[in-house]
């Protein structure tokens, strides 16, 4: 069952206010959020939506009262079959492009970028063709940065895409014959305003080259806005399908739907697929606490729109927040900053620029936000966080002109005048080394102490000596002044010589002893 929360009544309704605060904290704690948006998030930017009373459909009827066209027919692929409806379409797109160029991104667009910068956005999917997401820094599928120029089947680099444009981009034009796309310029808008589309320059160049070599001319296509109409295949349909499947396998933990009426069939299927994946990643009721807090809002689907969803979304959408998307995202940011101020601390790294001898300047080389709980350089340990940083100024780069001190010399090359000790004193470590070296060079002095063992400690007992003599440790050298005894001459034992003579007459050997 879908729970509806009114933003206007939340100021006086305490339970609704508490639930909204828990939802805001749940958004701050999630790490893989999928955001799906529609035309409602651009209404505050000055771009009217398609289905309201003051929307684009009503403006078309006021400008072309004689042309009988329904609002859906204006964005249906069948309009190219009739020259009148085609001219109306081109004229309308030209005026829409001017209003889009004059628009500025809303708080909702900046909120999506904030989720991306805080590493909480899995990916954004939008029905809008205004390209305001890319203007705040989200790389979209129509950006030239993600175009793949290799021989593979993929036309975009999916890992670099942060915003998927499901209905194309009004800031580009595409050829109806060769599908080449170009940036939409003022020249294209002038042609669209008259109802006549310009020719494709690529097709014209190929046809002119064939005519120059006496070959038949080729068909030249016309340029049209690079938006996807109803009942028309998307040029990047395969790539979008791959990104959709990959994001589902990554198990998103929250789905936020903003500013859409959920009327388009393909868009409804995409939302239901993501909602199913989010609910599957939610913790089981046995594990989740029964108390209503931020943990119990994990794996929820939030729908922010002025109108309530239909009955088919019961069990799919968990919370419907009735109100403007800009006001809700501003409340989320406010509650987020109060509950988790450490996520908004900014750490800036200053790098010196200039010579050290003269005055130098500092410039910001790296800016780190949301460093709590991260690994690697710049991360802070949990539990030791001190709220000492202040909010960063509006400008990201600032200069500080200061004289840079020269680096101190190494301890080994430090001059004598800067040493801590004079010629007499010395450091404790050096003093201990000097004492040990002096002791090693000095001869041993035994005048004050005697030998521990005598000379005959390990000798055998002499003949006639008693056991008492064997334990004699010798006399004390320090108390005895007697001269040392002369060493006795070694006795030469008597040698016995044995001579062997051989007799000539016989082989007998005669031994003569001397």
């Amino acid at each position: 069952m879908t729970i509806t929360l009114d933003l206007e009544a939340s100021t006086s309704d305490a339970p609704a206010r508490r639930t909204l605060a828990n939802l805001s904290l749940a958004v701050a704690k999630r790490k893989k959020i999928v955001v799906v948006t529609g035309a409602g998030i651009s209404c505050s930017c000055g771009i009217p939506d398609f289905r309201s009373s003051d929307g684009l459909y009503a403006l078309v009827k006021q400008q072309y009262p004689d042309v009988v066209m329904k609002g859906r027919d204006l964005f249906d692929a069948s309009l190219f079959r009739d020259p009148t409806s085609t001219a109306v379409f081109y004229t309308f797109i030209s005026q829409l492009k001017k209003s889009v160029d004059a628009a500025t991104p809303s708080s909702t667009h900046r909120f999506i970028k904030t989720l991306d910068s805080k590493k909480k956005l899995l990916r954004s999917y939008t029905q809008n063709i205004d390209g305001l997401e890319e203007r705040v820094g989200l790389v979209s599928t129509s950006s030239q940065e993600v175009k793949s120029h290799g021989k593979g089947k993929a036309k975009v680099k999916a890992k670099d895409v942060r915003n998927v444009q499901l209905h194309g981009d009004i800031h580009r034009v595409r050829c109806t014959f060769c599908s080449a796309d170009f940036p939409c310029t003022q020249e294209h808008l002038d042609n669209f305003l008259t109802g006549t589309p310009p020719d494709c320059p690529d097709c014209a160049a190929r046809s002119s080259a064939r005519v120059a070599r006496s070959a038949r001319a080729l068909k030249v296509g016309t340029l049209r806005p690079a938006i996807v109409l109803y009942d028309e295949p998307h040029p990047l349909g395969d790539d979008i399908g791959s990104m959709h499947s990959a994001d589902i396998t990554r198990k998103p933990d929250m789905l936020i739907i903003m500013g859409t009426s959920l009327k388009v069939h393909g868009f409804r299927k995409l939302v239901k697929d993501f909602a199913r994946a989010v609910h599957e990643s939610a913790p089981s009721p046995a594990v989740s606490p029964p108390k209503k807090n931020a943990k119990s809002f994990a794996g929820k689907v939030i729908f922010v729109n002025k109108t309530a969803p239909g009955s088919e979304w019961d069990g799919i959408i968990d919370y419907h927040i009735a109100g403007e998307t800009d006001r809700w995202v501003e409340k989320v940011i406010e509650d987020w900053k109060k509950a988790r101020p450490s996520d908004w601390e900014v750490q800036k790294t200053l790098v010196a620029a200039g010579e050290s001898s003269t005055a130098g300047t500092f410039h910001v080389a790296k800016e780190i936000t949301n460093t709590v709980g991260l690994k690697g350089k710049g991360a802070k340990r949990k539990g030791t966080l001190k709220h000492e940083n202040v909010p960063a100024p509006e400008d990201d780069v600032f200069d500080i002109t200061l004289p840079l001190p020269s680096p101190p010399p190494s301890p080994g090359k430090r001059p004598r005048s800067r040493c801590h000790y004079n010629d007499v004193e010395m450091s404790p470590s050096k003093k201990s080394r000097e004492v040990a070296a002096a002791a090693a060079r000095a001869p041993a002095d035994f005048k004050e102490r005697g030998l521990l063992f005598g000379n005959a400690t390990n000798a055998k007992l002499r003949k006639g000596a008693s056991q008492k003599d064997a334990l004699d440790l010798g006399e004390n050298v320090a108390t005895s002044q007697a001269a040392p005894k002369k060493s006795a001459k070694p006795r030469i034992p008597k040698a016995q010589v044995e001579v062997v003579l051989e007799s000539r007459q016989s082989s007998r050997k005669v031994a003569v002893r001397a």
Side-chain angles (χ1 to χ4, degrees), residues 214-275:
S214 301
R216 66 181 182 84
L218 294 177
K219 179 182 177 181
V220 178
T222 58
L223 296 180
R224 50 158 289 184
I227 62 176
V228 181
L229 304 178
Y230 295 119
D231 300 329
E232 185 179 32
H234 200 295
L236 302 177
D238 295 338
D239 298 277
I240 293 176
S242 300
M243 287 184 283
H244 174 213
S245 302
D247 291 343
I248 289 179
T249 57
R250 293 169 66 182
K251 297 180 180 180
D253 51 13
M254 179 173 282
L255 174 63
I256 301 177
I257 312 165
M258 294 186 290
T260 177
S261 58
L262 300 174
K263 298 294 183 182
V264 182
H265 174 71
F267 188 72
R268 292 205 311 267
K269 183 181 182 303
L270 179 139
V271 171
K272 291 180 180 179
D273 291 343
F274 278 128

Side-chain angles (χ1 to χ4, degrees), residues 309-368:
S311 59
E312 65 171 317
W313 297 100
D314 290 342
I316 300 176
I317 295 176
D318 299 308
Y319 292 93
H320 166 230
I321 301 175
E324 297 180 355
T325 59
D326 289 346
R327 184 180 174 187
W328 180 72
V329 299
E330 290 171 358
K331 177 175 175 49
V332 170
I333 296 296
E334 181 183 357
D335 296 339
W336 188 348
K337 290 182 178 180
K338 290 180 180 179
R340 299 168 66 93
S342 59
D343 293 351
W344 299 90
E345 293 181 352
V346 177
Q347 175 182 347
K348 291 189 175 183
T349 303
L350 299 180
V351 175
E355 299 180 359
S356 59
S357 59
T358 61
T361 59
F362 287 95
H363 69 275
V364 177
K366 187 176 182 183
E367 182 172 313
I368 305 173

Side-chain angles (χ1 to χ4, degrees), residues 278-464:
V278 167
H279 288 158
E280 290 177 357
S281 65
S284 59
V287 177
S288 62
K291 190 176 180 180
K292 287 291 182 180
N293 51 20
K295 292 184 179 180
S296 63
F297 289 89
K300 301 298 182 182
V301 178
I302 304 174
F303 178 64
V304 186
N305 198 42
K306 291 182 179 179
T307 58
S311 59
E312 65 171 317
W313 297 100
D314 290 342
I316 300 176
I317 295 176
D318 299 308
Y319 292 93
H320 166 230
I321 301 175
E324 297 180 355
T325 59
D326 289 346
R327 184 180 174 187
W328 180 72
V329 299
E330 290 171 358
K331 177 175 175 49
V332 170
I333 296 296
E334 181 183 357
D335 296 339
W336 188 348
K337 290 182 178 180
K338 290 180 180 179
R340 299 168 66 93
S342 59
D343 293 351
W344 299 90
E345 293 181 352
V346 177
Q347 175 182 347
K348 291 189 175 183
T349 303
L350 299 180
V351 175
E355 299 180 359
S356 59
S357 59
T358 61
T361 59
F362 287 95
H363 69 275
V364 177
K366 187 176 182 183
E367 182 172 313
I368 305 173
T369 60
N370 192 18
T371 58
V372 179
L374 299 180
K375 295 181 179 180
K377 295 183 177 180
K380 297 182 180 179
R381 297 178 180 272
K382 293 183 177 180
T384 61
L385 181 64
K386 296 181 180 180
H387 304 291
E388 298 178 351
N389 296 341
V390 296
E394 293 294 333
D395 51 341
D396 293 335
V397 180
F398 56 90
D399 293 337
I400 304 175
T401 303
L402 292 175
L404 298 180
S406 59
S410 60
K413 298 181 179 181
R414 185 178 295 157
R416 176 71 63 178
S417 60
R418 298 181 59 181
C419 184
H420 296 290
Y421 306 97
N422 52 24
D423 296 336
V424 179
E425 297 179 354
M426 60 183 66
S427 63
S429 59
K430 187 175 180 180
K431 189 173 184 179
S432 62
R433 290 195 300 268
E434 291 291 339
V435 171
R441 291 192 301 268
D445 186 10
F446 298 100
K447 292 183 178 181
E448 301 296 333
R449 59 179 180 175
L451 293 177
L452 180 61
F453 297 104
N455 294 331
T457 302
N458 296 326
K460 293 182 180 180
L461 290 175
R462 297 188 302 271
K463 293 182 179 181

